[in-house]
Amino acid sequence: MRVDVVSIFPEYLAPLRLSLLGRAQEDGILQLSVHDLRDFTADRHRTVDDTPYGGGAGMVMKPEPWALALEAVLAELPETNEAPTLIVPSPAGEVFTQALAEELAQEPSLTFACGRYEGIDERVLEWAAEHFRVRPVSLGDYVLNGGEVAVMAMVEAVGRLLPGVVGNPESLVEESHSDGLLEYPVYTKPSSWRGHDVPDVLLSGNHGLIARWRREQQFRRTAARRPELLEGADPAEFTGREREVLRELGYDVVDGRLVRQ
Ligand code: ADE
């Protein structure tokens, strides 16, 4: 996959060169290019922002450097039938989820436009829609200083789904959100540590029992920490024993859907 990031702080993205994603770049699985938006300005001060029309606090990113930067990225992207995806990190975007990461991992390329200040002139998104599939995406309901940290999170979440990036692909299957539930708790040696013991079942060697315990823990954890993830689920997805646990955790079936009492 090819990833292009446009930012006024290219150094901010440096951690994407480390660890698993660094190796993925060495192995040719991921091609990451970071572009400095200021390289696409024409004035002596390399100006990227200006005051907002209509007044108000803060500055807005000027449109022309963005168009030039995105045109330069487009010129480097291989020809495809479908428009390439442009992700614009913004607290006003759709929320980034594991499902979206999985969808984006299928794309041949992703381009990210990191806004700063109060945001990018809205006309850039209108213009970009003529060349890209534009998706404003939010990391969550809070405000960051700019898109760079959001891009790091998104590139890491997508990059680790590319075949060959994570050594054991099975570890992608049993993790939080891969099946809509939170992951079960994990333990390692010693079996007794500072008065805290590993649950007996994990030492039993009975794989059937262990699998059942882990699944039950997923339900307990999800109900305690993220009850909305279970709300509305189709009970047909669960075994009889699992439905029993869900009932114990306060869920009932109403009109064929799980509802919390
Ligand atoms: N930029 C500022 N806040 C953001 C957020 N919550 N998600 C993505 N990009 C952002």
Side-chain angles (χ1 to χ4, degrees):
M1 171 184 277
R2 191 192 156 107
V3 170
D4 290 90
V5 184
V6 183
S7 162
I8 56 165
F9 295 120
E11 317 84 59
Y12 225 114
L13 287 306
L16 289 177
R17 306 279 183 201
L18 303 174
S19 185
L20 284 183
L21 290 192
R23 177 120 35 87
Q25 288 160 73
E26 282 165 21
D27 294 346
I29 300 170
L30 180 69
Q31 291 90 39
L32 173 68
S33 300
V34 182
H35 311 265
D36 187 344
L37 181 69
R38 290 192 200 275
D39 290 346
F40 300 91
T41 55
D43 65 312
R44 205 157 56 87
H45 300 290
R46 296 172 32 106
T47 310
V48 292
D49 61 338
D50 208 335
T51 53
Y53 276 116
M59 300 289 270
V60 174
M61 293 189 109
K62 293 159 66 68
E64 187 59 12
W66 276 110
L68 294 173
L70 294 173
E71 277 172 344
V73 170
L74 274 174
E76 287 177 29
L77 292 182
E79 280 285 322
T80 49
N81 290 335
E82 291 185 20
T85 294
L86 173 68
I87 300 192
V88 185
S90 161
E94 66 179 301
V95 175
F96 188 66
T97 60
Q98 189 65 23
L100 182 51
E102 283 165 13
E103 185 186 331
L104 296 177
Q106 306 302 315
E107 298 281 328
S109 77
L110 295 174
T111 303
F112 292 90
C114 296
R116 285 258 149 190
Y117 315 116
E118 295 307 306
I120 303 172
D121 187 310
E122 189 65 22
R123 292 168 297 176
V124 173
L125 277 71
E126 293 168 19
W127 167 83
E130 295 163 20
H131 309 278
F132 292 91
R133 177 159 184 236
V134 180
R135 296 185 80 158
V137 179
S138 171
L139 223 49
D141 292 338
Y142 43 82
V143 179
L144 303 167
N145 287 335
E148 287 78 4
V149 166
V151 168
M152 276 194 277
M154 290 189 261
V155 172
E156 183 158 318
V158 171
R160 64 194 294 283
L161 296 175
L162 300 176
V165 173
V166 171
N168 179 0
E170 266 191 34
S171 58
L172 298 179
V173 177
E174 290 197 8
E175 59 186 11
S176 292
H177 302 295
S178 58
D179 62 357
L181 297 172
L182 303 187
E183 196 183 12
Y184 50 77
V186 296
Y187 303 84
T188 187
K189 291 174 255 320
S191 61
S192 185
W193 173 78
R194 296 194 182 206
H196 297 263
D197 293 340
V198 172
D200 284 339
V201 60
L202 297 178
L203 310 176
S204 70
N206 183 330
H207 295 296
L209 269 186
I210 291 171
R212 208 167 97 175
W213 180 85
R214 284 181 167 164
R215 186 94 176 131
E216 187 174 320
Q217 291 298 313
Q218 285 192 276
F219 286 116
R220 291 192 185 283
R221 239 189 199 186
T222 308
R225 298 180 184 173
R226 300 287 307 278
E228 80 282 7
L229 293 182
L230 285 165
E231 188 92 35
D234 179 0
E237 289 171 30
F238 309 122
T239 65
R241 165 77 192 132
E242 288 167 358
R243 284 198 287 271
E244 224 172 88
V245 172
L246 285 166
R247 236 186 317 275
E248 200 187 301
L249 293 170
Y251 290 88
D252 246 331
V253 179
V254 176
D255 295 333
R257 296 275 144 196
L258 274 189
V259 176
R260 199 149 203 237
Q261 296 307 304

